Amino acid sequence: MTRFTALSCCSVLAVIMATPALAADAAPAAAKTDVSTSTGTEGTDVRQIVVTAERNRAATDAPTKASILETQPESLITHKFIEQSTPESGDYTTIVSIAPSVNSFGANGGGVGDVGSATMRGFQDGQFNITYDGIAFGDANDTTHHPAAFFPSSTIGTAVVDRGPGAAGDMGQANFGGALHLFSPVVSDSFGVSQKVTFGTFNTESFVTTLQTGAIKELGGAKLLVSGDFRSSDGQLNNMGGIGRNFLAKLVVPIGNDITLTAFSSINHIRYNQTDNTSGTILGFGITPQQQAAYGINFALNTDPTDEHFVGYNYVTKNTSFNYLNLKWDAGHGITVEDHLYYYYYDNQTVSAQSAADLLNPPTSGPNVGTSYYSPDGGTTFTSDIAGYLKQNKYDTYGNILRVNADLGIGTLRAGGLYEHSNATRYIYNYDFTNNTPDTSGTYGTAPGSNVEYYEPSSWNQYQLFADFEWRPLHNLTITPGIKQLHFTRNVDNAQEYIAVPASGNNPGGNTLVTQNGSRTYSKTMWFITANYRVQPNWSFYAQAATGFLVPPVKTVAAVANGTVSPTAPQTTTTYQIGSVYTAGNLTLDGDFYHIDANNVLVASKHSGCFCYLNTGQGRYYGWEAQGAYHLGYGFTAFANGSINIARDIGNGVDYTNSPKRTAAFGLIYDDHHFQASVSDKIIGPQLASDGATFLNSYATVDASVSYDLGRVKFKLAGFNLSNKRPPIDFDGTFSVYQVGRQIQGTIQVKY
């Protein structure tokens, strides 16, 4: 625990003890609806989603549930479940893991570093949108995400897993495979201060401080939430520890009776040790069979500066911020206007050795004495210095979303649009870490005389325009057709890329550095139609047919010379799905069937020694999903969900990698006001590993938690992967990645 963290915690506790006047009349606040008033990407208030999903006790306690009004399969995960049953040191991947068709996994534990990811229906990260308070965010070079870089779990009040392309007003570059919608914590009308302290396995520490000012009468009812999240962990893997710091502020200001202004800012900093260059696995690192046999399953880094696994040669520092202003105006006569102005920033500075596959200890005799074990030619010669590189991925993105809704009696007309701009700079520069000088040998993916592996300055502009009409021909029937136009232009200016020229005739071949300038424009008109029919007030059927789109990555512009195929062919999907939601008495239940055709599916590949993308043509995704819960009485609720998922490359007749064939979860929740407990078992079915040849077996993860709330003080004990199973979750032909082992966390929360 750092001195700064300790002082922060003590300061907050001092405030709690020193403010009796503010709280003299305030008993512990009554339970409030645990949702933000922010809208989702379709412009729907998430409060409405929760109200229509939690229609009985079973639905209230269920970890995942659906709304009776939904028009595509969804799983709502409320703050109550996040607080009780997910790791205090987690992120969005640990929150959404309970949902059907979702595979969420980690390899290090402790909640530091980007060592977790999530897939949905076989779609990989980057093939579906992730939004926060209605704003889709992601990398500027492609649409992938970094779970630990922006939003730790303390900044997430509610999550909605949308398994589908959404409505026409669903903004983002990747509604190709659905969306994960994250919502910030609610700003309370009541004053309150909370201090959480968590200690756990792998020397994990987490300190979350939260202050709610409550509605301030003198400021017209304005209210403010501020929080700080400080965490650190050694992690389970050797010498792969790190720290995380997050500061959040959310201000809600009523302006008269009809206008509300919300200002939000989140600033995040993480630093952790991790090798960066085994990117063939889904998480970007792993362990070889030789390393595992010699050092055990947790081998990663060491503290020997003469070895390329040295922690001083393998670390990542990331600084991010996420900010927005949201203005909502009820103009009367059934017309509402919402404007969302936002800006987010990402700065990744990585230092990594060139190799992670070698054994420890340099030779102590012979011609290679004192050298690294890194062998650029596979074992005949060894480098005399530590070869490494510096990597940067840095971007800033800003945009605006405008929505106008008009209730016309027989239906609601919704229209609006998005404009967004981003600037980015990415590079890898090779360095000799022993001498701390640029490495211009041309050995490690560069041309002779240069240490540039790639240098990619880029920018893009996009706009999206949409309109749909929620037609209500009957009081229990809604039909919503919609249309969206997307226009996206990506520019690359003076990018430097090396190309590997094969030997032929008198040409010995080798690496050549080329300068790339290019621009690609993608334009697509997408259509949507959904319907929801309520047979009874508590039973509905829905259907959806919609198109989706995925903007190609920057490499398809910057690395055309490397062999990228069809750089201007955008990836598209056409989705058809039907489902039903039923909730009555002690039961809530919903299920669906989906069929998705994908075209121009791009797959990252090594081609002639260069990184590029190959267009594999058509893909198909289809399957069944269900989730339900039953309130047993006496505070107990049983739940279960499951899915059968097929994700297949039609052209090659094989499954896509890292796509589980099925998922399942079941468990029991107990809630008796002061005493709460939960136990769950999540099962991930077999899947094809990254090498495209190895099938990984099914595995299960058992989690449990128990808490007791005394009013001012709450105690919680939670365990994750209680059986301590460590199955392989990926293999790229060289490196294996294993599921993180058992984690136990104890939390004390003081509230005032």
Side-chain angles (χ1 to χ4, degrees):
M1 180 176 178
T2 65
R3 183 177 302 174
F4 177 77
T5 303
L7 289 173
S8 300
C9 296
C10 291
S11 298
V12 172
L13 291 174
V15 170
I16 295 174
M17 298 177 66
T19 54
L22 289 172
D25 299 326
K32 295 178 65 64
T33 303
D34 60 352
V35 296
S36 166
T37 57
S38 298
T39 53
T41 50
E42 298 88 348
T44 302
D45 195 321
V46 73
R47 184 189 303 275
Q48 178 187 1
I49 298 175
V50 175
V51 169
T52 58
E54 297 189 341
R55 299 172 66 91
N56 57 23
R57 178 63 185 271
T60 300
D61 290 343
T64 65
K65 65 213 73 178
S67 166
I68 203 77
L69 301 178
E70 72 180 22
T71 55
Q72 68 174 4
E74 70 181 16
S75 295
L76 170 70
I77 304 170
T78 58
H79 192 61
K80 179 179 180 180
F81 177 78
I82 296 172
E83 284 278 289
Q84 178 63 31
S85 304
T86 67
E88 295 287 343
S89 59
D91 52 48
Y92 74 79
T93 65
T94 59
I95 289 172
V96 302
S97 63
I98 194 66
S101 290
V102 173
N103 177 24
S104 179
F105 44 87
N108 192 32
V112 296
D114 282 322
V115 288
S117 190
T119 67
M120 179 168 57
R121 289 181 167 178
F123 291 105
Q124 308 301 301
D125 178 46
Q127 293 182 311
F128 49 82
N129 284 323
I130 298 181
T131 73
Y132 188 86
D133 280 355
I135 301 167
F137 67 97
D139 275 358
N141 58 296
D142 57 25
T143 49
T144 57
H145 305 84
H146 306 279
F150 279 99
F151 301 114
S153 59
S154 63
T155 66
I156 301 173
T158 308
V160 178
V161 179
D162 268 350
R163 300 185 296 277
D170 197 319
M171 301 287 106
Q173 300 178 38
N175 65 342
F176 188 75
L180 303 179
H181 298 306
L182 313 176
F183 297 92
S184 59
V186 65
V187 184
S188 175
D189 289 329
S190 303
F191 173 84
V193 181
S194 167
Q195 177 65 61
K196 280 187 179 181
V197 178
T198 300
F199 297 98
T201 312
F202 317 137
N203 197 28
T204 298
E205 299 179 355
S206 173
F207 306 89
V208 179
T209 305
T210 304
L211 169 65
Q212 298 268 14
T213 65
I216 303 173
K217 182 178 180 180
E218 293 77 8
L219 298 178
K223 50 188 178 180
L224 174 67
L225 161 68
V226 292
S227 70
D229 185 314
F230 311 92
R231 59 179 61 183
S232 65
S233 179
D234 293 342
Q236 184 167 32
L237 303 180
N238 296 343
N239 296 291
M240 272 184 54
I243 62 168
R245 304 286 185 263
N246 178 272
F247 299 92
L248 179 150
K250 183 178 179 182
L251 174 66
V252 179
V253 182
I255 303 174
N257 295 324
D258 304 321
I259 299 176
T260 301
L261 176 67
T262 302
F264 177 91
S265 182
S266 174
I267 300 172
N268 204 64
H269 166 81
I270 56 175
R271 188 193 187 282
Y272 56 94
N273 288 101
Q274 181 179 319
T275 185
D276 181 66
N277 57 38
T278 57
S279 57
T281 64
I282 195 170
L283 292 178
F285 65 93
I287 184 173
T288 69
Q290 294 81 8
Q291 291 171 337
Q292 183 174 338
Y295 314 120
I297 196 173
N298 291 329
F299 173 77
L301 300 175
N302 67 9
T303 56
D304 181 359
T306 68
D307 186 84
E308 66 267 32
H309 299 94
F310 177 48
V311 293
Y313 303 144
N314 299 274
Y315 60 90
V316 181
T317 303
K318 295 185 180 183
N319 292 290
T320 69
S321 68
F322 190 93
N323 316 273
Y324 68 77
L325 289 173
N326 178 265
L327 183 70
K328 295 179 182 178
W329 175 35
D330 185 346
H333 307 290
I335 298 175
T336 61
V337 180
E338 179 179 7
D339 192 73
H340 226 146
L341 179 67
Y342 60 89
Y343 167 81
Y344 62 89
Y345 169 84
Y346 176 86
D347 184 3
N348 171 8
Q349 302 293 332
T350 294
V351 175
S352 180
Q354 287 284 357
S355 175
D358 304 319
L359 297 175
L360 298 177
N361 302 321
T364 57
S365 62
N368 301 314
V369 61
T371 64
S372 162
Y373 255 57
Y374 179 65
S375 177
D377 60 6
T380 304
T381 62
F382 295 87
T383 58
S384 57
D385 292 324
I386 303 294
Y389 58 82
L390 309 183
K391 183 177 83 170
Q392 173 180 283
N393 184 10
K394 186 176 182 180
Y395 57 82
D396 58 286
T397 301
Y398 55 86
N400 191 80
I401 302 172
L402 176 65
R403 303 179 185 277
V404 180
N405 299 337
D407 190 338
L408 305 179
I410 63 170
T412 300
L413 177 66
R414 297 187 290 254
L418 168 149
Y419 172 78
E420 197 171 64
H421 174 79
S422 183
N423 297 297
T425 302
R426 303 174 69 236
Y427 63 68
I428 285 183
Y429 295 155
N430 289 340
Y431 269 78
D432 181 331
F433 286 162
T434 302
N435 299 316
N436 196 28
T437 58
D439 185 346
T440 59
S441 66
T443 303
Y444 314 102
T446 61
S450 172
N451 73 324
V452 179
E453 186 166 332
Y454 65 76
Y455 172 70
E456 292 172 355
S458 65
S459 64
W460 48 260
N461 292 279
Q462 73 157 327
Y463 68 80
Q464 298 181 30
L465 302 174
F466 77 92
D468 64 27
F469 183 68
E470 185 183 281
W471 179 38
R472 298 185 290 270
L474 302 172
H475 75 279
N476 59 342
L477 173 65
T478 59
I479 302 173
T480 309
I483 190 170
K484 176 165 64 180
Q485 177 66 38
L486 179 144
H487 186 90
F488 185 98
T489 300
R490 191 191 296 277
N491 300 295
V492 174
D493 299 314
N494 296 317
Q496 292 181 299
E497 304 275 350
Y498 91 94
I499 60 174
V501 179
S504 63
N506 295 326
N507 183 0
N511 297 333
T512 300
L513 191 67
V514 298
T515 299
Q516 296 283 322
N517 289 280
S519 178
R520 296 287 185 272
T521 296
Y522 313 100
S523 185
K524 177 70 175 177
T525 301
M526 287 167 279
W527 54 265
F528 305 78
I529 184 166
T530 63
N532 179 287
Y533 179 66
R534 292 167 296 287
V535 181
Q536 297 176 4
N538 62 339
W539 185 18
S540 68
F541 289 88
Y542 62 86
Q544 178 186 55
T547 51
F549 186 90
L550 179 59
V551 173
V554 70
K555 282 288 187 183
T556 62
V557 180
V560 175
N562 292 10
T564 291
V565 177
S566 301
T568 58
Q571 303 174 78
T572 60
T573 52
T574 303
T575 298
Y576 305 94
Q577 44 193 359
I578 58 174
S580 182
V581 181
Y582 177 82
T583 175
N586 292 329
L587 175 68
T588 180
L589 180 67
D590 64 273
D592 66 272
F593 169 78
Y594 67 93
H595 179 103
I596 304 170
D597 287 322
N599 292 292
N600 299 316
V601 179
L602 293 180
V603 176
S605 176
K606 292 288 185 178
H607 182 75
S608 301
C610 300
F611 187 91
C612 46
Y613 284 80
L614 302 179
N615 187 327
T616 61
Q618 186 179 10
R620 181 162 295 154
Y621 302 77
Y622 61 94
W624 299 262
E625 301 161 322
Q627 59 187 0
Y630 186 80
H631 181 61
L632 303 172
Y634 303 100
F636 289 98
T637 299
F639 68 89
N641 65 59
S643 66
I644 297 174
N645 309 103
I646 307 300
R648 185 156 295 161
D649 181 338
I650 298 300
N652 296 316
V654 297
D655 291 342
Y656 288 120
T657 60
N658 308 119
S659 302
K661 291 180 174 295
R662 55 184 176 269
T663 71
F666 58 91
L668 193 65
I669 291 176
Y670 179 77
D671 185 354
D672 188 24
H673 303 296
H674 295 293
F675 185 74
Q676 296 177 330
S678 69
V679 60
S680 65
D681 188 2
K682 180 65 182 269
I683 302 170
I684 300 299
Q687 58 186 300
L688 190 62
S690 291
D691 68 344
T694 303
F695 260 98
L696 305 175
N697 294 327
S698 302
Y699 65 93
T701 303
V702 178
D703 301 336
S705 67
V706 59
S707 66
Y708 192 77
D709 194 338
L710 298 173
R712 299 297 187 192
V713 181
K714 181 179 179 180
F715 301 92
K716 187 177 81 168
L717 181 66
F720 308 96
N721 191 11
L722 290 174
S723 61
N724 200 33
K725 293 181 179 178
R726 305 286 305 279
I729 57 177
D730 200 15
F731 176 66
D732 68 355
T734 301
F735 293 93
S736 293
V737 179
Y738 293 91
Q739 173 79 351
V740 66
R742 182 189 297 116
Q743 299 181 78
I744 305 297
Q745 294 186 352
T747 301
I748 300 176
Q749 181 181 13
V750 179
K751 299 172 288 182
Y752 201 72

